[in-house]
Amino acid sequence: SQQGEEDPQALSIQEGENATMNCSYKTSINNLQWYRQNSGRGLVHLILIRSNEREKHSGRLRVTLDTSKKSSSLLITASRAADTASYFCATDAWTGFQKLVFGTGTRLLVSP
Amino acid sequence: EAGVAQSPRYKIIEKRQSVAFWCNPISGHATLYWYQQILGQGPKLLIQFQNNGVVDDSQLPKDRFSAERLKGVDSTLKIQPAKLEDSAVYLCASSLFLGDRIETQYFGPGTRLLVL
C-alpha cells in the first residue's frame, strides 16, 4: 500500500522557475526521504529529514516537514531541464529495520 | 564504487511462464530490497533481506513469487507462474546497515517485465 499521497501528480514549469511538491502521509514516522527517478531508471536518493527536524537544505533543494500535519514539501529552486523526472517521498517508520513506504510521485517537466 | 547491478534489463514473457531476476548489491551492504513498481505508481516493497535472512516479506505474493539471497550477497527473485498483472519494473536496492535508524537505499536500474 502507498503511505504517501503526493500533490500535484504532474507539474510543468519553465527553466529558472521554482518547483514545489507536497507529500502527505498517514502514520508516525522516524524520517522522511525524497527520491528522484529519471525515465526508465532506478531511484536516486535526494535528501532525508528526521522526524525532529523541520527544514533541511541541500544545494537547490529545500525540504520541510510538519509532523503535526503529517506532511512534507520539496522545493527545487532555479529549476533546470535536467531536473525533469518523477519525485517520490518515502516514509520510514523504523520497526527495528528500515521499511520505506513510497508515495505516488510527482512528475516534473522542466522546459527550456 | 560500483552501484547495484540488475539483470536482465528487459524481459517479455507469456502468462503462466516463469521468470527470474538477478541482483548484485553494493559491496558490503548487508540489507537488500526487492521492489515492484507498477506504471504510474511508487515502488512497493516485496521482500527485504538482512544478510541472508528475510526480515520482511509481508507484501510478497508467496503463491507465485519467491526470493533468495544465498551467502548474503547476490539475490534472485522468481515469479512462477506469471500473471498479466505482474507487468512492472522490479527494482533492487541495497543499504549499509548501521543500526542508527538512518539509511540511504541505493537502487539498481531495474528490470522491466512485460507479461503478455
Side-chain angles (χ1 to χ4, degrees):
Chain A
S1 61
Q2 308 278 183
Q3 156 83 300
E5 293 293 330
E6 293 176 68
D7 169 54
Q9 289 188 342
L11 179 61
S12 183
I13 60 175
Q14 299 289 119
E15 267 192 327
E17 294 180 338
N18 295 341
T20 300
M21 292 158 252
N22 303 295
C23 168
S24 60
Y25 57 93
K26 299 172 185 174
T27 61
S28 297
I29 61 171
N30 177 62
N31 65 76
L32 185 144
Q33 305 182 27
W34 285 88
Y35 284 80
R36 182 187 72 225
Q37 186 175 38
N38 291 92
S39 180
R41 305 272 183 93
L43 284 84
V44 174
H45 180 265
L46 294 176
I47 194 167
L48 179 153
I49 187 165
R50 301 173 190 238
S51 60
N52 61 355
E53 296 176 318
R54 292 296 167 259
E55 188 171 312
K56 202 161 183 181
H57 297 256
S58 176
R60 294 185 296 113
L61 305 179
R62 172 179 169 255
V63 170
T64 63
L65 179 64
D66 187 335
T67 53
S68 66
K69 294 182 179 178
K70 291 187 169 60
S71 67
S72 174
S73 68
L74 172 67
L75 168 67
I76 303 174
T77 59
S79 62
R80 306 166 182 168
D83 295 328
T84 294
S86 291
Y87 292 82
F88 295 90
C89 68
T91 55
D92 180 13
W94 192 270
T95 56
F97 294 93
Q98 182 185 68
K99 180 173 180 176
L100 290 184
V101 180
F102 285 83
T104 52
T106 293
R107 294 188 307 280
L108 174 65
L109 174 63
V110 182
S111 301
Chain B
E1 173 181 86
V4 176
Q6 290 188 248
S7 67
R9 292 295 310 276
Y10 305 92
K11 192 73 177 180
I12 300 175
I13 62 172
E14 296 190 349
K15 60 182 178 182
R16 291 188 289 274
Q17 287 187 324
S18 59
V19 64
F21 312 127
W22 173 82
C23 172
N24 181 234
I26 292 173
S27 178
H29 282 196
T31 313
L32 184 147
Y33 314 79
W34 282 103
Y35 290 88
Q36 179 192 59
Q37 185 176 21
I38 292 173
L39 186 64
Q41 298 182 18
K44 182 185 82 171
L45 179 69
L46 292 176
I47 189 167
Q48 177 178 343
F49 292 93
Q50 184 73 14
N51 296 308
N52 60 352
V54 175
V55 298
D56 189 338
D57 63 356
S58 57
Q59 297 193 92
L60 186 74
K62 299 180 185 64
D63 57 336
R64 297 183 300 105
F65 286 64
S66 65
E68 61 181 9
R69 190 183 184 195
L70 300 176
K71 301 181 182 179
V73 181
D74 293 6
S75 177
T76 55
L77 176 68
K78 297 179 182 177
I79 308 175
Q80 182 180 13
K83 292 185 175 181
L84 297 177
E85 59 262 36
D86 298 333
S87 293
V89 176
Y90 290 85
L91 295 163
C92 179
S94 68
S95 66
L96 184 63
F97 182 74
L98 297 175
D100 63 354
R101 300 188 168 207
I102 300 296
E103 292 180 24
T104 296
Q105 293 188 22
Y106 296 85
F107 284 78
T111 296
R112 190 174 298 270
L113 173 68
L114 178 60
V115 182
L116 301 176

